[in-house]
Amino acid sequence: MSEAPAAALFDVDGTLVDTTYLHTLAWWEALRQYGHDVDAARVHRAVGMGADQLLDHLLGEDRRHDDDEAVTAAHLALWARSWPSLRPFPGAAELLRECARRGWRVVLATSASAREAEVLRRALDVDDALTAVTTADDVDASKPAPDLVHAALERVDGVAERSVFVGDALWDVRAAGRAGVRCVAVESGGLCSRELRAAGAAEVHADVGALLHALDDSLLARPPVAGLVGHRA
């Protein structure tokens, strides 16, 4: 049997594309429109979850769910206003291409819907480096559940021990950990290294540009040798 391919899984919002605070404001305003007064700081820390998990986290699971769909739709409408001006973080496209060149199967694993993921892909303009994309539409439970990570691995016939997940939120780190995948975190979503490491990140960089600069010393330096997880031959 041939060796399972090595997979480099990437969150998109806040990791590759500068969207975390755009999402924060959109969710904050959408919640206000439906009578939910939630501090923006709390909203920010919840960004990175799928919409279902985010609303439960912010409003409580025992609440009435009557307006969940309306709040989610309002968020999408507000967030969509930003689409024409989306920008990848410096070094994002180069990082994905370099990972592909080094032998990783590069997968975008995002809690965004398929429609939103298409917008983010266009902003990144790096389809030549991608092997697959997985979205919230592909799973029953979004991050921090491990479902999206499992789906990304299945899409490329990958296995956890030969994979690395790159993300910016606590929910990324926890989802990767629950799937048994090592996580490289970046601070570009607004969380600090201490928090990300406490959640289980194996290494933390300021942003994807810094990760690209330090690539030779990172878990993404090259795919691991079979049987030697973490080995940098």
Side-chain angles (χ1 to χ4, degrees):
M1 177 181 291
S2 60
E3 182 178 70
L9 316 177
F10 287 85
D11 171 63
V12 183
D13 282 303
T15 299
L16 298 173
V17 184
D18 190 4
T19 61
T20 297
Y21 294 96
L22 300 175
H23 276 297
T24 298
L25 291 174
W27 277 118
W28 178 80
E29 177 59 29
L31 287 161
R32 286 185 70 236
Q33 287 180 9
Y34 286 86
H36 304 293
D37 186 12
V38 182
D39 292 347
R42 286 192 63 220
V43 177
H44 166 246
R45 295 182 66 83
V47 169
M49 291 177 158
D52 54 341
Q53 306 248 28
L54 180 144
L55 291 174
D56 283 348
H57 180 76
L58 292 176
L59 303 178
E61 296 182 25
D62 297 331
R63 74 191 188 285
R64 293 185 56 151
H65 293 257
D66 299 7
D67 60 6
D68 281 12
E69 288 188 13
V71 174
T72 301
H75 161 262
L76 178 59
L78 291 161
W79 148 236
R81 296 176 184 175
S82 304
W83 291 355
S85 59
L86 292 182
R87 61 177 281 275
F89 286 110
E94 294 87 344
L95 175 62
L96 297 185
R97 290 191 174 101
E98 182 60 19
C99 286
R101 189 189 70 78
R102 293 183 183 215
W104 297 94
R105 292 194 179 180
V106 177
V107 184
L108 301 185
T110 173
S111 290
S113 67
R115 177 187 176 195
E116 295 169 87
E118 183 58 32
V119 172
L120 294 165
R121 282 177 66 172
R122 289 200 300 270
L124 281 167
D125 191 23
V126 72
D127 280 1
D128 54 293
L130 301 180
T131 302
V133 178
T134 55
T135 73
D137 294 1
D138 298 317
V139 297
D140 293 326
S142 58
K143 293 180 286 189
D147 302 31
L148 192 67
V149 183
H150 290 313
L153 292 176
E154 290 172 8
R155 191 65 59 86
V156 295
D157 298 321
V159 294
E161 58 267 26
R162 284 180 53 77
S163 302
V164 176
F165 190 98
V166 181
D168 69 290
L170 298 179
W171 322 116
D172 297 320
V173 181
R174 291 172 183 169
R178 291 171 184 175
V181 175
R182 296 163 296 162
C183 186
V184 172
V186 290
E187 296 176 297
S188 49
L191 298 181
C192 69
S193 175
R194 177 183 55 79
E195 289 182 284
L196 293 163
R197 287 190 181 277
E203 59 186 66
V204 181
H205 302 266
D207 50 37
V208 287
L211 172 56
L212 176 64
H213 182 73
L215 198 59
D216 286 338
D217 296 315
S218 81
L219 289 173
L220 287 170
R222 55 188 54 84
V225 175
L228 295 175
V229 173
H231 176 67
R232 299 167 189 161

